[in-house]
Amino acid sequence: MNNTKLLNSINAFSKKRKTNAAYYEENWAERKERKEYYQSFTKDKLIDMTEDEFLEYISKLWSMLIWGNKKYVADKLIADNGFAALKKQLAELLYGTSPVEKRWDVFLKSIKGMGPATMSELLTYANPQEYVIFNKTTILCYSYLDIPGMPKYDYQYTGKKYTEVCTIAKEIAAALKKAGAEDYDLLAVDYFMWDEILPLTEKKSPEPPAAPESKSPVTINDSKSLHDEIKEKLVAIGELLGFNSRSEVKITTGAVVDAVWEAKIGNMGKAIYVFEVQSKGSIDSLILNLKKAQSNAAVQAVVAVADEEQLAKIIRESTGVIDEKSLRTWDSEDVLAVYDSLVRAHESINKLALVPESF
């Protein structure tokens, strides 16, 4: 960690807290209120939650700001996982006695639709002395502080990595305490990073290109994990855009595609957009699935998603096989960037509370 950058940031943060105390007290009061709400839960109280109580429970999370209709998310979590199983796994994640690294990995493997940002936020509220929020903001701020090894893809947010991130957050908390900060738990660390360091990452001057790094070989497990992540992001983008968006859909006889976006057009029918993701290996099955999907009259376009090199190969080998007018290509890195941009846009808009929610 670059201690000079950290100390400079802490000094600037301390000065701002003194000169604009009301602003910082208001923001910290909001975090304290959230912490008190979540700490009012026990393992038994969480297990006994009703579906309405669960909706309120997740609606208060910062990680839920991207969703205008939070009931949709709550209902989907319950439908995809089963309510009893979802509560049991949440209780084990937050209140279990095994190491957090193990609890983290088991939860990620067991529960669909609740990722690292939500998991870590709940852990932070439950025990802010031990756990920190682990999301894109954390990664940007740690990267600014020259902390290496931050994940690029979701599948790299492992339990082991989370324990490393928490250990670093405790070092930052100790530095804040040494500088005289009254609140120095890991929720306060998150506030410090959000308020002081995150703006610095946005103003950071472009650096000269670094020497090319030698890339580690992509393993089969990494390839599958990246494939699944791109697929999940495609579904999420579709949902954020207002489509009925699903993964692993049988689009026609003998063709199950990675993702579809579906829009109903009044009483006339529907328009469907089909996505197939390629991360590694043969592209024959992708081309065959997209060709079969084109036989469905409702399909308006088929989209191949892969890296630049594989997209060129898909275009070349699909010529004369897939109708070129309806074939689209989308770089997988661009999919991730679009998802991040949409998340930020929805978070900003939903903070305005233009459409009030009711329970």
Side-chain angles (χ1 to χ4, degrees):
M1 178 160 52
N2 188 319
N3 287 314
T4 300
K5 285 184 177 180
L6 176 62
L7 292 176
N8 287 341
S9 299
I10 289 175
N11 290 335
F13 181 67
S14 299
K15 289 177 183 177
K16 290 176 185 176
R17 287 187 69 172
K18 291 177 182 177
T19 57
N20 195 357
Y23 167 81
Y24 286 94
E25 285 172 8
E26 180 182 348
N27 277 275
W28 180 244
E30 180 194 354
R31 283 160 173 76
K32 187 177 179 181
E33 182 181 337
R34 289 171 185 264
K35 180 167 62 173
E36 289 172 351
Y37 169 77
Y38 286 100
Q39 289 185 351
S40 72
F41 283 82
T42 62
K43 184 174 184 178
D44 289 340
K45 184 178 177 180
L46 193 153
I47 291 289
D48 291 339
M49 273 196 301
T50 65
E51 292 189 8
D52 285 342
E53 288 169 337
F54 175 68
L55 171 58
E56 182 181 10
Y57 183 81
I58 68 163
S59 293
K60 292 179 179 290
L61 296 170
W62 286 315
S63 63
M64 290 291 291
L65 273 174
I66 65 171
W67 302 106
N69 184 354
K70 295 176 177 61
K71 188 175 187 307
Y72 165 80
V73 181
D75 289 346
K76 195 168 190 304
L77 281 167
I78 292 169
D80 288 346
N81 299 291
F83 195 34
L86 175 59
K87 291 189 292 183
K88 179 182 177 182
Q89 290 294 339
L90 264 177
E92 181 59 30
L93 173 70
L94 301 178
Y95 308 109
T97 56
S98 59
V100 70
E101 178 177 333
K102 181 178 179 182
R103 287 183 277 137
W104 179 279
D105 289 338
V106 168
F107 188 91
L108 267 181
K109 185 177 179 181
S110 305
I111 297 300
K112 181 180 179 182
M114 192 177 285
T118 299
M119 293 165 58
S120 61
E121 187 176 348
L122 287 170
L123 281 164
T124 304
Y125 294 140
N127 189 349
Q129 300 298 329
E130 291 295 324
Y131 307 126
V132 73
I133 294 175
F134 188 23
N135 56 18
K136 295 290 185 183
T137 295
T138 316
I139 290 172
L140 285 171
C141 293
Y142 277 25
S143 297
Y144 174 81
L145 293 172
D146 300 330
I147 297 167
M150 288 300 101
K152 179 179 181 181
Y153 301 113
D154 283 359
Y155 73 86
Q156 296 168 330
Y157 285 70
T158 62
K160 182 180 179 181
K161 182 58 65 176
Y162 184 57
T163 58
E164 292 174 11
V165 166
C166 290
T167 298
I168 295 166
K170 290 173 186 175
E171 294 175 13
I172 296 173
L176 283 166
K177 180 181 179 181
K178 189 175 180 181
E182 294 178 6
D183 302 302
Y184 49 84
D185 65 13
L186 303 195
L187 185 58
V189 169
D190 177 79
Y191 177 37
F192 158 67
M193 293 194 298
W194 173 82
D195 187 84
E196 182 61 36
I197 298 183
L198 183 61
L200 297 175
T201 70
E202 295 164 353
K203 297 175 184 176
K204 191 175 178 182
S205 303
E207 297 178 355
E213 296 181 5
S214 56
K215 294 185 178 179
S216 303
V218 178
T219 67
I220 293 174
N221 285 339
D222 286 347
S223 179
K224 183 180 185 303
S225 298
L226 182 56
H227 179 280
D228 291 344
E229 181 174 339
I230 299 295
K231 183 171 63 177
E232 290 167 5
K233 291 295 190 285
L234 286 168
V235 172
I237 291 170
E239 290 173 334
L240 290 169
L241 292 175
F243 289 98
N244 177 11
S245 185
R246 296 167 291 148
S247 63
E248 298 297 321
V249 178
K250 183 178 180 180
I251 197 70
T252 189
T253 303
V256 176
V257 295
D258 285 326
V260 299
W261 295 352
E262 185 178 303
K264 290 186 178 179
I265 306 174
N267 295 321
M268 296 188 298
K270 54 190 174 182
I272 298 174
Y273 304 91
V274 170
F275 299 84
E276 275 284 281
V277 180
Q278 181 70 18
S279 55
K280 191 178 182 182
S282 171
I283 64 172
D284 293 346
S285 61
L286 177 143
I287 292 174
L288 181 59
N289 266 0
L290 293 183
K291 177 177 174 60
K292 288 181 177 179
Q294 287 183 327
S295 67
N296 184 324
V299 172
Q300 304 300 303
V302 294
V303 185
V305 182
D307 60 34
E308 186 176 342
E309 181 180 344
Q310 293 193 88
L311 286 177
K313 187 177 179 183
I314 289 167
I315 292 170
R316 185 169 62 250
E317 296 191 17
S318 65
T319 302
V321 180
I322 299 177
D323 179 9
E324 295 180 19
K325 292 182 180 179
S326 65
L327 174 64
R328 310 286 191 273
T329 57
W330 199 356
D331 191 292
S332 52
E333 291 294 327
D334 195 29
V335 171
L336 298 176
V338 167
Y339 171 78
D340 288 342
S341 297
L342 272 176
V343 165
R344 288 195 296 273
H346 279 257
E347 284 177 347
S348 181
I349 293 168
N350 290 333
K351 282 179 183 176
L352 301 175
L354 301 177
V355 181
E357 284 206 52
S358 60
F359 293 102

